[in-house]
Amino acid sequence: MATFLYKLGRLTFRRRGFVALIWVALLAVAGIGAATASTATSSSFSIPGTEAQRAFDLLEERNPGGSADGATARVVFNAPGDEKVTDAGNKGEITGMVKELQSGSDQVAGVADPFRSKAVSQDGSTAYISVTYKVSSMELTDKTRDALEGVGKDAQDSGMKVEIGGDALQVMPHTGTAEIIGVVIAAVVLVITFGSLIAAGLPLVTALVGVGIGVSTITALATVMDLGSTTSILAMMIGLAVGIDYALFIVSRYRAELAEGREREEAAGRAVGTAGSAVVFAGLTVVIALAGLAVVNIPMLTKMGLAAAGTVAIAVLIALTLVPAALGFAGKRIMGRKARKAAEAEKSPEAKPNMGTRWARFVLRKPVWVMLVGVLGLGIVAVPAASLEMGLPDDGAQPKSTTQRQAYDMLSDGFGPGFNGPLLTVVDTKNSSDGKAAANRVAEEIEALGVSAVVPPVFNKAGDTATITVIPKDRPSSHATEEVVHDIRDAGKDVKADTGAEVLVTGATAMNIDFSQKMNDALLPYLALVVGLAFLLLMLVFRSVLVPLKAALGFLLSVVAALGAVVAVFQWGWLGSLFGVEQTGPIMSMMPIFMVGVVFGLAMDYEVFLVTRMREAYVHGESPGQAIVTGFKHGARVVTAAAVIMMAVFSGFIGSSEQMIKMIGFSLAIAVLFDAFVVRMAIVPAVLALLGKKAWWLPRWLDRALPNVDVEGEKLQQQLTEESGSAGPGDGGSEGERELVRV
């Protein structure tokens, strides 16, 4: 591989104009496609194989045109003081608003008058208008939203409190200005790392080109492939981080080759042939982790993972082709004066060891203490993860200042905590001899469970499907409500055995329960697949059994610690105001498994970039301890910069208005902090120091069985040595060209 990438690097350096033109053309095509495509909507949410989804599909089949997936809204009214909503004046205002909503937009499917639908609390203080729409929330026009938001102004003038809940007010998420701050921080880190504006700007520009192509392609295909509105944001988050990092490693190696006195084209070829090999394998681990989300069998999650994986693949191709081409355009300006002086100073025998060298020597002196402090520290941070509660967000998770949250609280106060999470029980009576009797029996058995209310069965036109709305006593996310769902399903088994009627429970609360269960069931198979494939990949890279095993265990430790931090901030509220968390609540069900996929790929990035240097030094004669020092001498500064850049980029998304984006941005940033600086920089060298030569052990039969992918560039080094030896004294052969090609 190294030989092929070496030739590719030299080719793209020579044909830099043609290569740059191709990438610019691809960016233009993707941009035009994105500009002409229709606006992305929220992805259709389905959970194949669950009871809640089967019930939803049955309703769609038996009641076509019922707008089961349309947006909904509740306009909630609360009478002032001792007044009641049933008082003549208040009732007149509410009735007028019903008519106003009915005529406010042609997207309205139906408006329920609260005085006819019995949507008035027992004390008469609260009432609500239910509004259903023909389209999803993201497809609602501004005119429709304006009509909904403006409907309560007249009533508020008369003294009533009016708030609006439901997903009809949901808008496209935005990331805020913090995202730009993250990119600025990344630029500052690059300038400090390279000491040159040209060298610092190159990774940023090439990463933005890759992200531009990836995100524009996603936007162009969003409607056709039903990609959600958050897919492009997540792809941008991950693509920008890895794009900068991969370019950073190539540019850093190129500068090191220039410092050795090589010509620019030769330096580009060697940089791509060596560091490029690490980029390929690091990128593969990220792609495997993201594409592996398909095993969860949640279409929305699968699409998010594949879209992000595609953006990472583009970042790898950019690093291998556009980066060396851009290096050709940059010329000698890629090395600033300070950088050249620093390179000369490092060659001096009296040069002071750099920070990476000093840290590695410290770890070698105190490996047990470093390992214990690292493991115990992450273990303490991981403690809150034991209290992890997962769920899907509803209006109760909104900040208290929002109208959605206030409407949620008003309904809870007026009708009971369970009113915000009604359960929809669907009774399929097609195979029952007496459908009405079966449906009535289901309603009676549900009432016996001690719920707050049970609405009598309502049949469709064909008379073969009945729906029963159940109001639990407790809030939607409570364990008591979850038990009610399981009890109804258990009772339904007896009904089916006696009458032939099938009982299914759906609704937001039931979907939440089924979704969380599916996430839990999929986590272990997903981990087994991703870790297993990556373990094999790392064995190819390191020619070792214990090093990949140590890498996987370190990843698990950093992930659990990151989950603990997420629980502490988003569920318990610790330091919540610092991160813009206005309302605590359960952790989103898909967040942990998505975080596992992304963090695993990123963790392996640092493992590959840092440990391959150690592996190379050990293979070519250095002692295990000295190999660790060599690896940190050449790799610690770059890996540190890469980690800080990733943290900055991910932290920028904490400013998003979308709770899931905010949570994922925080979790990825904190996970990179733990994995890069605690696991890879402290625990890994400590463990390698304790293992000594055993760390690089590989059974002979396995060594023969595994293909040699030449990540270390041994074949490339041999080829270059032979060419240098046959070139003669005047042909540019030098001791520098004969020395080992480090990875």
Side-chain angles (χ1 to χ4, degrees):
M1 175 182 289
T3 303
F4 168 76
L5 292 178
Y6 167 78
K7 294 177 180 178
L8 178 65
R10 297 194 62 166
L11 176 64
T12 54
F13 186 92
R14 288 196 306 271
R15 307 296 184 188
R16 47 187 173 272
F18 181 68
V19 172
L21 183 62
I22 291 177
W23 283 110
V24 171
L26 289 174
L27 179 61
V29 170
I32 293 171
T36 56
S38 56
T39 304
T41 62
S42 57
S43 177
S44 56
F45 184 76
S46 62
I47 316 175
T50 62
E51 180 174 317
Q53 185 63 46
R54 285 193 293 122
F56 182 84
D57 294 339
L58 181 65
L59 288 176
E60 285 282 295
E61 177 189 342
R62 302 285 176 84
N63 190 24
S67 301
D69 59 346
T72 60
R74 281 176 172 174
V75 184
V76 188
F77 305 88
N78 189 263
D82 296 332
E83 294 182 23
K84 298 182 182 298
V85 292
T86 52
D87 292 345
N90 293 333
K91 184 175 181 180
E93 290 281 358
I94 295 173
T95 303
M97 276 179 277
V98 171
K99 296 178 181 179
E100 187 179 339
L101 284 168
Q102 289 173 334
S103 59
S105 171
D106 56 5
Q107 291 183 313
V108 175
V111 180
D113 188 323
F115 304 107
R116 294 182 181 179
S117 60
K118 299 180 180 180
V120 180
S121 63
Q122 289 184 353
D123 60 5
S125 64
T126 309
Y128 66 91
I129 300 173
S130 292
V131 188
T132 56
Y133 295 90
K134 300 175 184 177
V135 296
S136 67
S137 60
M138 290 299 175
E139 296 172 298
L140 293 177
T141 62
D142 291 337
K143 177 184 175 182
T144 301
R145 282 203 179 90
D146 291 341
L148 176 62
E149 292 174 345
V151 73
K153 291 182 179 179
D154 293 338
Q156 287 176 327
D157 293 339
S158 65
M160 278 194 294
K161 184 178 181 180
V162 184
E163 303 293 347
I164 304 172
D167 63 353
L169 295 182
Q170 183 180 350
V171 295
M172 289 284 289
H174 61 82
T175 54
T177 57
E179 175 190 351
I180 300 175
I181 296 175
V183 175
V184 172
I185 294 174
V188 172
V189 172
L190 287 170
V191 170
I192 294 174
T193 302
F194 288 130
S196 165
L197 289 176
I198 298 295
L202 195 149
L204 278 176
V205 172
T206 55
L208 289 173
V209 171
V211 168
I213 294 173
V215 173
S216 296
T217 303
I218 292 170
T219 303
L221 300 176
T223 302
V224 177
M225 302 185 65
D226 190 26
L227 301 177
S229 56
T230 59
T231 302
S232 60
I233 296 178
L234 293 172
M236 181 191 302
M237 179 194 304
I238 298 166
L240 190 60
V242 299
I244 294 174
D245 278 6
Y246 294 164
L248 167 65
F249 288 114
I250 298 291
V251 174
S252 177
R253 185 54 189 260
Y254 173 76
R255 283 159 50 100
E257 296 294 338
L258 287 180
E260 293 289 337
R262 296 187 175 89
E263 295 297 324
R264 292 192 296 123
E265 182 179 328
E266 177 68 14
R270 289 175 179 255
V272 176
T274 53
S277 298
V279 166
V280 170
F281 278 90
L284 276 176
T285 58
V286 181
V287 170
I288 288 173
L290 291 170
L293 291 170
V295 303
V296 183
N297 195 26
I298 301 291
M300 182 179 70
L301 196 60
T302 299
K303 293 172 185 176
M304 288 167 57
L306 292 177
T311 307
V312 172
I314 293 173
V316 172
L317 293 175
I318 288 278
L320 299 179
T321 57
L322 183 58
V323 169
L327 290 172
F329 288 117
K332 295 183 178 180
R333 290 171 296 176
I334 200 73
M335 294 282 286
R337 291 182 180 179
K338 291 184 179 180
R340 288 195 293 269
K341 290 181 179 179
E344 291 296 328
E346 287 183 3
K347 294 180 181 180
S348 172
E350 301 176 357
K352 183 181 178 181
N354 61 20
M355 182 65 72
T357 301
R358 295 198 298 272
W359 170 251
R361 289 172 178 171
F362 171 78
V363 173
L364 288 174
R365 291 196 300 271
K366 307 285 185 179
V368 175
W369 283 106
V370 171
M371 184 181 68
L372 286 178
V373 170
V375 172
L376 290 177
L378 291 181
I380 292 172
V381 178
V383 169
S387 302
L388 175 67
E389 294 180 7
M390 295 194 297
L392 293 177
D394 57 17
D395 286 345
Q398 296 275 0
K400 294 182 179 180
S401 59
T402 61
T403 185
Q404 295 97 320
R405 174 58 187 275
Q406 292 186 41
Y408 181 97
D409 291 339
M410 287 165 61
L411 289 171
S412 181
D413 294 338
F415 298 90
F419 192 79
N420 284 294
L423 306 174
L424 187 62
T425 304
V426 181
V427 186
D428 182 3
T429 61
K430 197 169 187 177
N431 298 321
S432 175
S433 58
D434 190 345
K436 289 186 178 180
N440 289 330
R441 175 181 168 181
V442 173
E444 291 172 0
E445 295 204 12
I446 294 175
E447 284 184 358
L449 296 175
V451 296
S452 181
V454 178
V455 178
V458 178
F459 279 84
N460 63 341
K461 292 181 179 179
D464 58 2
T465 307
T467 56
I468 304 171
T469 302
V470 182
I471 307 298
K473 286 185 176 180
D474 295 282
R475 57 190 172 86
S477 58
S478 69
H479 294 292
T481 300
E482 183 176 346
E483 289 300 317
V484 169
V485 172
H486 293 311
D487 290 342
I488 294 174
R489 288 173 172 173
D490 291 339
K493 296 176 183 178
D494 296 333
V495 173
K496 184 176 182 179
D498 296 339
T499 67
E502 185 176 12
V503 181
L504 304 170
V505 184
T506 188
T509 302
M511 290 282 275
N512 186 3
I513 294 170
D514 289 351
F515 184 78
S516 298
Q517 186 60 49
K518 195 172 183 68
M519 291 292 100
N520 289 334
D521 293 343
L523 186 57
L524 287 179
Y526 173 70
L527 278 174
L529 173 68
V530 172
V531 175
L533 289 176
F535 183 85
L536 294 175
L537 203 61
L538 291 177
M539 276 205 301
L540 292 177
V541 176
F542 297 126
R543 316 295 296 183
S544 166
V545 174
L546 295 180
V547 171
L549 178 62
K550 171 262 308 169
L553 293 176
F555 149 74
L556 292 174
L557 182 60
S558 60
V559 161
V560 175
L563 277 177
V566 170
V567 170
V569 173
F570 288 89
Q571 187 175 309
W572 293 357
W574 293 4
L575 301 178
S577 59
L578 182 63
F579 299 101
V581 181
E582 297 183 43
Q583 181 61 39
T584 60
I587 305 304
M588 292 189 184
S589 300
M590 71 172 64
M591 199 284 298
I593 199 167
F594 188 85
M595 188 191 74
V596 165
V598 176
V599 173
F600 183 80
L602 300 182
M604 295 306 102
D605 278 4
Y606 303 122
E607 184 75 15
V608 169
F609 287 124
L610 190 60
V611 181
T612 45
R613 286 276 189 170
M614 303 178 192
R615 165 72 182 172
E616 176 212 350
Y618 174 76
V619 167
H620 291 88
E622 293 188 7
S623 66
Q626 184 57 41
I628 294 173
V629 175
T630 301
F632 270 80
K633 175 183 178 181
H634 295 290
R637 180 182 177 87
V638 178
V639 170
T640 299
V644 172
I645 289 170
M646 278 201 176
M647 289 169 57
V649 173
F650 291 146
S651 297
F653 290 85
I654 297 176
S656 173
S657 62
E658 182 74 18
Q659 184 78 349
M660 179 179 174
I661 301 297
K662 181 190 292 287
M663 197 177 291
I664 288 180
F666 173 83
S667 65
L668 294 182
I670 201 73
V672 168
L673 172 66
F674 293 154
D675 194 87
F677 293 104
V678 181
V679 174
R680 308 301 154 191
M681 291 288 194
I683 296 177
V684 164
V687 171
L688 290 177
L690 293 173
L691 289 174
K693 293 183 179 180
K694 295 178 182 178
W696 309 107
W697 170 78
L698 185 70
R700 291 185 179 179
W701 64 269
L702 187 56
D703 188 32
R704 291 192 297 268
L706 291 176
N708 186 358
V709 293
D710 193 28
V711 176
E712 296 168 2
E714 291 181 78
K715 293 181 180 179
L716 173 62
Q717 193 272 338
Q718 292 174 2
Q719 176 182 328
L720 294 176
T721 300
E722 292 173 0
E723 292 176 357
S724 177
S726 62
D731 293 332
S734 67
E735 183 180 351
E737 282 205 299
R738 296 186 188 93
E739 63 183 36
L740 174 66
V741 179
R742 295 189 179 93
V743 178

